[in-house]
Amino acid sequence: HMQGPLHWLNTGITGEENHQHNPWTMLAKNFGPDDFVVVKLDIDTVSVEWPLFQQLLNTPQIQELVDIFYFEHHVKMDEMQTFWGSHSSGSTKGTIAESLELFQALRKAGVAAHY
């Protein structure tokens, strides 16, 4: 049984767990482990992106829903400050090495994670 693709939700989202505008809540209500789910997380707001990433990383029930995960992790990288903001602005979090470790943890949990 195939469910139609979901292209666009014209609403803001939140990293607040179990909130109706948390994407993981929406996924859990509409999809199951047998569905093929691809997620791209690129909100450009660390205060929203990071909690969502942490929820995926730490919640097996979410991991079993997500088959492929793409994430533009806004790390502290000098070359990207023009686009992502200065390191002191709070718009970046972590390093490239830490990012790779996080992606490896997701892969070990069964989520094909890509930068």
Side-chain angles (χ1 to χ4, degrees):
H1 152 260
M2 290 191 63
Q3 192 160 354
L6 180 61
H7 292 284
W8 179 260
L9 288 177
N10 192 16
T11 185
I13 67 166
T14 180
E16 183 182 333
E17 291 187 58
N18 302 313
H19 189 281
Q20 69 178 7
H21 293 297
N22 180 308
W24 307 134
T25 303
M26 184 275 305
L27 277 177
K29 286 182 179 180
N30 293 286
F31 299 93
D34 292 334
D35 292 309
F36 183 73
V37 175
V38 178
V39 174
K40 178 185 178 197
L41 181 60
D42 183 11
I43 302 167
D44 295 335
T45 304
V46 171
S47 63
V48 177
E49 281 181 337
W50 191 245
L52 291 171
F53 182 84
Q54 289 294 312
Q55 290 163 29
L56 175 60
L57 184 63
N58 297 312
T59 311
Q61 296 86 350
I62 298 172
Q63 294 168 0
E64 71 179 12
L65 295 175
V66 178
D67 296 285
I68 300 176
F69 179 66
Y70 294 94
F71 180 38
E72 185 177 24
H73 187 195
H74 298 97
V75 297
K76 295 181 189 238
M77 187 170 149
D78 292 340
E79 296 84 357
M80 296 304 291
Q81 284 190 67
T82 301
F83 309 102
W84 293 347
S86 69
H87 300 321
S88 62
S89 71
S91 62
T92 58
K93 183 169 185 70
T95 66
I96 292 173
E98 291 168 337
S99 186
L100 293 174
E101 289 173 10
L102 293 168
F103 279 81
Q104 183 179 33
L106 276 177
R107 290 175 182 153
K108 284 182 179 179
V111 178
H114 307 281
Y115 192 79

mmCIF file of all heavy atoms in Angstrom, residues 1 13-14 19 24 33 44 65 68 71 95 103 107 114-115:
data_model
loop_
_atom_site.group_PDB
_atom_site.id
_atom_site.type_symbol
_atom_site.label_atom_id
_atom_site.label_comp_id
_atom_site.label_asym_id
_atom_site.label_seq_id
_atom_site.Cartn_x
_atom_site.Cartn_y
_atom_site.Cartn_z
ATOM 1 N N HIS A 1 0.852 -1.177 0.000
ATOM 2 C CA HIS A 1 0.000 0.000 0.000
ATOM 3 C C HIS A 1 0.892 1.233 0.000
ATOM 4 O O HIS A 1 1.774 1.369 0.827
ATOM 5 C CB HIS A 1 -0.903 -0.092 1.230
ATOM 6 C CG HIS A 1 -1.357 1.193 1.795
ATOM 7 N ND1 HIS A 1 -0.756 1.745 2.901
ATOM 8 C CD2 HIS A 1 -2.335 2.025 1.442
ATOM 9 C CE1 HIS A 1 -1.390 2.868 3.195
ATOM 10 N NE2 HIS A 1 -2.346 3.041 2.328
ATOM 11 N N ILE A 13 7.387 25.377 11.960
ATOM 12 C CA ILE A 13 7.559 24.163 12.743
ATOM 13 C C ILE A 13 8.236 24.494 14.059
ATOM 14 O O ILE A 13 8.767 25.590 14.244
ATOM 15 C CB ILE A 13 8.352 23.083 11.987
ATOM 16 C CG1 ILE A 13 9.799 23.506 11.781
ATOM 17 C CG2 ILE A 13 7.693 22.742 10.675
ATOM 18 C CD1 ILE A 13 10.686 22.372 11.352
ATOM 19 N N THR A 14 8.220 23.535 14.948
ATOM 20 C CA THR A 14 8.832 23.707 16.248
ATOM 21 C C THR A 14 9.623 22.453 16.604
ATOM 22 O O THR A 14 9.315 21.366 16.112
ATOM 23 C CB THR A 14 7.767 23.983 17.337
ATOM 24 O OG1 THR A 14 8.415 24.142 18.603
ATOM 25 C CG2 THR A 14 6.756 22.858 17.434
ATOM 26 N N HIS A 19 4.506 18.354 19.855
ATOM 27 C CA HIS A 19 3.708 19.484 19.389
ATOM 28 C C HIS A 19 3.174 19.157 17.993
ATOM 29 O O HIS A 19 3.832 18.476 17.214
ATOM 30 C CB HIS A 19 4.568 20.749 19.345
ATOM 31 C CG HIS A 19 3.815 22.000 19.098
ATOM 32 N ND1 HIS A 19 3.394 22.384 17.846
ATOM 33 C CD2 HIS A 19 3.393 22.970 19.958
ATOM 34 C CE1 HIS A 19 2.753 23.536 17.927
ATOM 35 N NE2 HIS A 19 2.736 23.902 19.208
ATOM 36 N N TRP A 24 8.308 15.388 13.532
ATOM 37 C CA TRP A 24 8.296 13.988 13.972
ATOM 38 C C TRP A 24 6.894 13.580 14.434
ATOM 39 O O TRP A 24 6.479 12.433 14.220
ATOM 40 C CB TRP A 24 9.322 13.748 15.072
ATOM 41 C CG TRP A 24 10.714 14.192 14.744
ATOM 42 C CD1 TRP A 24 11.544 14.907 15.555
ATOM 43 C CD2 TRP A 24 11.470 13.956 13.544
ATOM 44 N NE1 TRP A 24 12.758 15.128 14.924
ATOM 45 C CE2 TRP A 24 12.736 14.554 13.696
ATOM 46 C CE3 TRP A 24 11.189 13.294 12.345
ATOM 47 C CZ2 TRP A 24 13.721 14.511 12.707
ATOM 48 C CZ3 TRP A 24 12.172 13.258 11.359
ATOM 49 C CH2 TRP A 24 13.412 13.852 11.545
ATOM 50 N N PRO A 33 6.539 2.189 10.095
ATOM 51 C CA PRO A 33 7.856 1.643 9.754
ATOM 52 C C PRO A 33 7.933 1.027 8.360
ATOM 53 O O PRO A 33 9.014 0.951 7.788
ATOM 54 C CB PRO A 33 8.088 0.582 10.834
ATOM 55 C CG PRO A 33 7.214 0.990 11.960
ATOM 56 C CD PRO A 33 6.015 1.648 11.348
ATOM 57 N N ASP A 44 17.859 26.456 8.835
ATOM 58 C CA ASP A 44 18.732 27.616 9.035
ATOM 59 C C ASP A 44 18.469 28.334 10.350
ATOM 60 O O ASP A 44 18.764 29.522 10.486
ATOM 61 C CB ASP A 44 18.641 28.606 7.862
ATOM 62 C CG ASP A 44 19.161 28.013 6.559
ATOM 63 O OD1 ASP A 44 19.993 27.091 6.625
ATOM 64 O OD2 ASP A 44 18.745 28.471 5.492
ATOM 65 N N LEU A 65 10.996 5.243 11.701
ATOM 66 C CA LEU A 65 10.162 5.851 10.666
ATOM 67 C C LEU A 65 10.981 6.448 9.527
ATOM 68 O O LEU A 65 10.493 6.571 8.409
ATOM 69 C CB LEU A 65 9.289 6.957 11.266
ATOM 70 C CG LEU A 65 8.241 6.539 12.282
ATOM 71 C CD1 LEU A 65 7.563 7.779 12.865
ATOM 72 C CD2 LEU A 65 7.220 5.607 11.660
ATOM 73 N N ILE A 68 15.892 7.629 5.186
ATOM 74 C CA ILE A 68 17.021 8.441 4.712
ATOM 75 C C ILE A 68 16.864 9.844 5.293
ATOM 76 O O ILE A 68 15.771 10.421 5.278
ATOM 77 C CB ILE A 68 17.073 8.503 3.175
ATOM 78 C CG1 ILE A 68 17.223 7.096 2.600
ATOM 79 C CG2 ILE A 68 18.220 9.395 2.707
ATOM 80 C CD1 ILE A 68 17.196 7.022 1.092
ATOM 81 N N PHE A 71 20.758 16.381 6.264
ATOM 82 C CA PHE A 71 20.812 17.474 7.244
ATOM 83 C C PHE A 71 21.961 18.407 6.908
ATOM 84 O O PHE A 71 23.116 17.985 6.812
ATOM 85 C CB PHE A 71 21.008 16.884 8.638
ATOM 86 C CG PHE A 71 21.081 17.894 9.757
ATOM 87 C CD1 PHE A 71 20.294 19.026 9.780
ATOM 88 C CD2 PHE A 71 21.935 17.669 10.821
ATOM 89 C CE1 PHE A 71 20.364 19.939 10.828
ATOM 90 C CE2 PHE A 71 22.008 18.565 11.878
ATOM 91 C CZ PHE A 71 21.219 19.699 11.892
ATOM 92 N N THR A 95 31.296 21.200 15.280
ATOM 93 C CA THR A 95 32.377 21.190 14.293
ATOM 94 C C THR A 95 32.081 20.130 13.240
ATOM 95 O O THR A 95 31.184 19.293 13.417
ATOM 96 C CB THR A 95 33.716 20.862 14.964
ATOM 97 O OG1 THR A 95 33.651 19.517 15.453
ATOM 98 C CG2 THR A 95 34.043 21.825 16.093
ATOM 99 N N PHE A 103 26.453 11.794 12.557
ATOM 100 C CA PHE A 103 25.930 11.046 11.414
ATOM 101 C C PHE A 103 26.259 9.566 11.543
ATOM 102 O O PHE A 103 25.435 8.710 11.204
ATOM 103 C CB PHE A 103 26.470 11.624 10.102
ATOM 104 C CG PHE A 103 25.725 12.840 9.653
ATOM 105 C CD1 PHE A 103 26.000 14.077 10.191
ATOM 106 C CD2 PHE A 103 24.717 12.740 8.714
ATOM 107 C CE1 PHE A 103 25.304 15.205 9.798
ATOM 108 C CE2 PHE A 103 24.007 13.861 8.301
ATOM 109 C CZ PHE A 103 24.301 15.095 8.849
ATOM 110 N N ARG A 107 23.663 6.397 11.600
ATOM 111 C CA ARG A 107 23.829 5.238 10.715
ATOM 112 C C ARG A 107 23.862 3.941 11.515
ATOM 113 O O ARG A 107 23.279 2.935 11.105
ATOM 114 C CB ARG A 107 25.095 5.397 9.880
ATOM 115 C CG ARG A 107 24.958 6.497 8.838
ATOM 116 C CD ARG A 107 26.236 6.731 8.086
ATOM 117 N NE ARG A 107 26.061 7.830 7.144
ATOM 118 C CZ ARG A 107 27.028 8.599 6.715
ATOM 119 N NH1 ARG A 107 28.274 8.396 7.128
ATOM 120 N NH2 ARG A 107 26.785 9.567 5.862
ATOM 121 N N HIS A 114 22.950 11.656 5.766
ATOM 122 C CA HIS A 114 23.863 12.308 4.820
ATOM 123 C C HIS A 114 23.967 13.789 5.130
ATOM 124 O O HIS A 114 23.003 14.428 5.502
ATOM 125 C CB HIS A 114 23.358 12.125 3.386
ATOM 126 C CG HIS A 114 23.090 10.712 3.037
ATOM 127 N ND1 HIS A 114 24.110 9.840 2.704
ATOM 128 C CD2 HIS A 114 21.940 10.002 2.999
ATOM 129 C CE1 HIS A 114 23.578 8.657 2.454
ATOM 130 N NE2 HIS A 114 22.284 8.720 2.635
ATOM 131 N N TYR A 115 25.153 14.331 4.913
ATOM 132 C CA TYR A 115 25.424 15.754 5.153
ATOM 133 C C TYR A 115 24.985 16.561 3.970
ATOM 134 O O TYR A 115 25.132 16.220 2.851
ATOM 135 C CB TYR A 115 26.930 15.917 5.384
ATOM 136 C CG TYR A 115 27.318 17.254 5.929
ATOM 137 C CD1 TYR A 115 27.160 17.545 7.277
ATOM 138 C CD2 TYR A 115 27.814 18.229 5.102
ATOM 139 C CE1 TYR A 115 27.517 18.773 7.763
ATOM 140 C CE2 TYR A 115 28.182 19.471 5.595
ATOM 141 C CZ TYR A 115 28.031 19.737 6.934
ATOM 142 O OH TYR A 115 28.391 20.967 7.423
#
